[in-house]
Amino acid sequence: MNKIYLDNAATTPVKKEVLDAMLPYFMESFGNPSSVYQIAQINKKAVDEAREQVAKTLGANANEIFFTSGGSEADNWALKGIAEAYKDKGNHIITSKIEHHAILHTCEYLEKKGYEVTYLDVDEKGMITPEAVEAAIKENTILISIMYANNEIGTINPISEIGKIAKAHHIIFHTDAVQAMGQVRIDVKEQNIDLLSLSAHKINGPKGVGALYIRRGLKIANLIHGGGQERGRRAGTENVPGIVGLGKAIELAYEDFDAKIEKLTVLRDKLIDGLLEKIPYTRLNGHRIQRLANNVNVGVEFVEGESLLLLLDMNGVAASSGSACTSGSLDPSHVLLALGIPHEKAHGSIRFTLGGMNTEEEIDFVLEKMPSIVERMRSMSPLYEDFLNKNK
Ligand SMILES: *Cc1c(COP(=O)(O)O)cnc(C)c1O
């Protein structure tokens, strides 16, 4: 049986070109970029080139890119580093209820340290409005952190508008763009973004490497203390192969961009429309249009998302019932709850996230299997039976 991977928001396979670019830096060119001899200078050059590749994609300068161990570290650094560096200016942070846990749990940590955090509500499509951001600004607000696109429901936020508001109020603006990378064109200068987090493994790069863009002129406290790497701001011998992989992955993520997005959108829409049409009592979670080209998230009533996943897995299909971090726990997704979806309905949601390798045949296969799987599950559900009896 062929395996069908539809969980690209959790992680993605490394592309062949990315791996090929990384391989020389494990055995042949293994030097420490901080060393002065020639064999290490190759490594320094490789890191500098990757920094250029990331900067170019974001419309930033190379000296504004700092490599990290991934998206979570970039998020932690942005929030803790700015909170600390600007604590004499204020202690209020604005974020949203649908952020990734790397943001939410960092905010909870900062609250314990005496910071005040406003968690903005979203509308029923998962959108954060610029008006809500502006209304939450106070005298002591130092930072706004709003994700570019949500990892569960794929909703894309009005980042340029929020950037304008932040700039007009002289407040620092961070965005977690981990999911938006490769699916949305980003220009940090044009969009007034002061800090931006990204991660390699969500864009066909290696796991354990990411970056934080920090606008020139911003103060930020260090998260990792030690040697003078990353211009004294992030210590630790550079993950040279990982950084090279990130540089290559980000470059490839924007190659043939329009054609790639078009292909994904067609497959996405086929899957959304097919599921809603073929399975009664289903709805789309998230925004229909302002949505990542690879994200499908549907609520299926009278079924348990986790059981649905297992049955799909038995058919060779890998999907998710929310974020990978929350699966395994019985709490419904905080994102779906923030949309106003009741607990029992939030449980019955399933997320398919497409990648460059997915084919129309695979989508057809899912559309063929899903209705019978759901029907079988519902036939065993007393809730569904009650519902049918009441509606006779
Ligand atoms: C995956 C993800 C992260 C975490 O990135 P890691 O590199 O896995 O630490 C942060 N934010 C969002 C939106 C993500 O999807």
Side-chain angles (χ1 to χ4, degrees), residues 183-329:
Q183 294 199 60
V184 179
R185 285 192 204 275
I186 297 175
D187 188 312
V188 289
K189 305 289 165 186
E190 233 169 65
Q191 296 178 284
N192 298 307
I193 297 167
D194 297 311
L195 301 117
L196 178 144
S197 306
L198 60 89
S199 176
H201 77 100
K202 305 287 176 75
I203 51 169
N204 303 104
K207 292 167 184 60
V209 59
L212 182 64
Y213 151 78
I214 308 172
R215 184 174 55 75
R216 193 172 12 209
L218 275 188
K219 291 187 291 178
I220 189 162
N222 284 9
L223 185 69
I224 312 280
H225 301 269
Q229 292 90 355
E230 299 296 285
R231 292 163 327 283
R233 284 184 150 179
R234 198 281 186 182
T237 301
E238 298 86 342
N239 172 5
V240 179
I243 289 169
V244 168
L246 168 58
K248 189 72 187 168
I250 213 165
E251 199 175 80
L252 294 175
Y254 286 90
E255 219 174 61
D256 294 324
F257 181 78
D258 294 332
K260 181 184 92 173
I261 295 301
E262 171 66 18
K263 183 194 158 203
L264 281 174
T265 306
V266 168
L267 292 182
R268 175 197 74 184
D269 290 348
K270 179 169 190 174
L271 187 52
I272 292 176
D273 295 341
L275 290 173
L276 298 187
E277 192 187 295
K278 285 170 184 263
I279 310 173
Y281 313 113
T282 48
R283 61 169 197 288
L284 180 68
N285 292 321
H287 202 287
R288 186 68 187 80
I289 311 293
Q290 292 302 320
R291 184 180 198 97
L292 291 176
N294 79 334
N295 178 292
V296 176
N297 188 321
V298 290
V300 186
E301 283 194 50
F302 312 109
V303 305
E304 251 285 315
E306 295 294 321
S307 321
L308 186 52
L309 280 190
L310 289 178
L311 288 173
L312 279 169
D313 189 29
M314 284 165 61
N315 283 282
V317 179
S320 162
S321 65
S323 83
C325 326
T326 48
S327 62
S329 94

Side-chain angles (χ1 to χ4, degrees), residues 70-72 75 100 147 151 176 178-179 199 201-202:
S72 298
D75 283 346
H100 190 272
M147 74 196 320
N151 44 305
D176 173 342
V178 172
Q179 290 291 334
S199 176
H201 77 100
K202 305 287 176 75

Side-chain angles (χ1 to χ4, degrees), residues 67-252:
F67 293 115
T68 67
S69 67
S72 298
E73 186 190 323
D75 283 346
N76 269 263
W77 187 15
L79 268 55
K80 292 175 187 167
I82 292 295
E84 163 136 26
Y86 289 87
K87 64 172 182 276
D88 50 340
K89 281 201 136 186
N91 70 339
H92 180 231
I93 297 166
I94 298 171
T95 187
S96 84
K97 288 188 177 166
I98 64 161
E99 299 295 313
H100 190 272
H101 282 136
I103 295 289
L104 290 178
H105 290 165
T106 303
C107 284
E108 285 161 21
Y109 167 83
L110 287 170
E111 282 184 291
K112 289 201 193 106
K113 296 275 164 190
Y115 290 87
E116 187 194 335
V117 182
T118 299
Y119 299 91
L120 293 175
D121 284 317
V122 295
D123 69 13
E124 74 289 351
K125 306 287 184 216
M127 191 80 90
I128 294 137
T129 65
E131 294 74 27
V133 175
E134 186 152 42
I137 292 172
K138 304 199 291 184
E139 196 97 299
N140 58 341
T141 307
I142 50 173
L143 175 66
I144 296 169
S145 179
I146 299 290
M147 74 196 320
Y148 210 124
N150 184 269
N151 44 305
E152 292 189 35
I153 54 173
T155 300
I156 301 169
N157 280 308
I159 291 303
S160 301
E161 284 71 25
I162 297 171
K164 265 187 210 141
I165 287 166
K167 189 176 184 204
H169 292 267
H170 307 290
I171 296 168
I172 298 164
F173 178 39
H174 166 255
T175 188
D176 173 342
V178 172
Q179 290 291 334
M181 291 309 299
Q183 294 199 60
V184 179
R185 285 192 204 275
I186 297 175
D187 188 312
V188 289
K189 305 289 165 186
E190 233 169 65
Q191 296 178 284
N192 298 307
I193 297 167
D194 297 311
L195 301 117
L196 178 144
S197 306
L198 60 89
S199 176
H201 77 100
K202 305 287 176 75
I203 51 169
N204 303 104
K207 292 167 184 60
V209 59
L212 182 64
Y213 151 78
I214 308 172
R215 184 174 55 75
R216 193 172 12 209
L218 275 188
K219 291 187 291 178
I220 189 162
N222 284 9
L223 185 69
I224 312 280
H225 301 269
Q229 292 90 355
E230 299 296 285
R231 292 163 327 283
R233 284 184 150 179
R234 198 281 186 182
T237 301
E238 298 86 342
N239 172 5
V240 179
I243 289 169
V244 168
L246 168 58
K248 189 72 187 168
I250 213 165
E251 199 175 80
L252 294 175

